[in-house]
Amino acid sequence: MNAPVPITPFWSADEVESALRPALAQMEARGVLGYPTETVYGFGGAVDQESVERLVALKRRPPAKPFLLLIAGLDMLTRLDLHLPAYAAQLVARHWPGPLTLVLPGGDRRVPARLRGPEGGIAVRWTPHPGIARLIRAHGDAITSTSANLPGVPPAMTAQEIVTQWTDDVVRGRILVLDGGRLDPSEPSTVLDCTGGRPRVIRPGAIPVSALRESVPKLLGDA
């Protein structure tokens, strides 16, 4: 009989607190976490070259598709040496934490080049997921994030879907899976390029462009 595949409960506040120590140890060992977010289950880990390269290899990610960073406070932008243009600060004041991803300039001395997108910036979102926000604060820094799925397979909505696709990696400890239950279907985050003089819509999503224009009327892109 096969041994059960290890999954760490990550639903209640008590479970989140109990999961912090193994999750932080996994990141310290440059391993990968599988975790729930406000949209889908994600893969991620610490923001350093070795951790990022392990995530690239696990995800089989092409070089032109970087990962985004999840934060749990504006102080983390400073720590990452990322710059928040004045118009972006207006968007942040209204829509963070929330499903809005901003591609920001900066990060040259702090963020691995693999995380820099074709716009030249780093994609960042302040997650509203309470468990992941708690983990990020305990870690004291941003974590990387990408959808937890093999190429061509829909993003995982449960922890078990991760185990099914990545059984060997989970059993061998290369992935630590945090089980936050089944996620409700939701739209992806809205993504804006904030590396230029005016923000530009890269991907429409959960926050309508019309709502963003209430804060930044000169937003470029389709409604």
Side-chain angles (χ1 to χ4, degrees), residues 6 25 55 68 84 107 149 156 174 187 206-207 218 221:
L55 185 57
L68 65 86
L84 194 66
N149 59 290
R174 290 191 283 260
E187 289 188 85
I207 301 177
K218 294 184 178 181

Side-chain angles (χ1 to χ4, degrees), residues 82-119:
L82 295 176
H83 309 308
L84 194 66
Y87 62 75
Q90 293 177 308
L91 294 167
V92 162
R94 181 169 179 181
H95 298 288
W96 274 7
L100 176 65
T101 298
L102 302 181
V103 179
L104 300 175
D108 299 330
R109 296 173 294 177
R110 178 66 178 81
V111 182
R114 278 273 201 178
L115 298 178
R116 196 168 299 281
E119 301 83 8

Side-chain angles (χ1 to χ4, degrees), residues 10 52 89 116 130 162 200 206 208 212 216:
F10 198 73
V52 170
R116 196 168 299 281
I162 297 177
R200 177 178 61 86
L212 299 175
V216 183

Side-chain angles (χ1 to χ4, degrees), residues 116-174:
R116 196 168 299 281
E119 301 83 8
I122 307 296
V124 186
R125 183 168 76 249
W126 182 344
T127 177
H129 189 285
I132 294 305
R134 174 72 181 96
L135 173 60
I136 293 170
R137 293 309 308 182
H139 177 51
D141 203 353
I143 63 172
T144 53
S145 186
T146 181
S147 60
N149 59 290
L150 289 166
V153 178
M157 302 302 288
T158 67
Q160 187 56 50
E161 289 176 55
I162 297 177
V163 172
T164 299
Q165 295 181 55
W166 310 86
T167 304
D168 187 62
D169 292 289
V170 176
V171 170
R172 293 177 181 273
R174 290 191 283 260

